[in-house]
Amino acid sequence: MAFNKSVQLDIKDTDKYGRSIAIVTVPGNPEPVNLSQIRRGMAWAYRRYAPPQTWVVAEEQARSNKVGLWTMPDPVEPEQWRHNR
């Protein structure tokens, strides 16, 4: 989606580790890369940082349609996976 492309970051916040929470877009493509990943079942909507409601809906649709990571029996949210390690 963004490989070898210039991207624009709209930084919304910073997490407790100093990482930027941002909306990532590729110029000329109206849908943010983050949202595309969520729709394809490649990512969670990061609820801790209040994503747009459309992102939460996109995640719920991906879950109900069992696409991407939602085909797995028990997908583990990245934050939980890091915490368990």
Side-chain angles (χ1 to χ4, degrees):
M1 286 177 235
F3 183 71
N4 279 340
K5 297 178 182 176
S6 294
V7 298
Q8 293 176 333
L9 301 177
D10 180 8
I11 298 172
K12 299 297 186 183
D13 205 342
T14 303
D15 72 8
K16 66 182 180 180
Y17 301 106
R19 298 176 295 201
S20 297
I21 306 299
I23 295 175
V24 181
T25 56
V26 174
N29 187 344
E31 182 168 271
V33 173
N34 324 53
L35 179 55
S36 294
Q37 290 179 316
I38 293 167
R39 283 189 202 285
R40 296 174 186 193
M42 298 168 65
W44 270 261
Y46 202 3
R47 286 171 172 80
R48 179 175 287 194
Y49 291 92
Q53 185 60 30
T54 54
W55 294 20
V56 173
V57 170
E59 180 187 306
E60 291 168 355
Q61 289 172 339
R63 282 177 186 249
S64 66
N65 293 328
K66 299 194 182 312
V67 296
L69 65 94
W70 307 115
T71 62
M72 299 170 59
D74 293 309
V76 178
E77 191 170 3
E79 186 174 11
Q80 185 63 44
W81 184 85
R82 287 189 298 272
H83 178 74
N84 291 342
R85 296 198 143 263

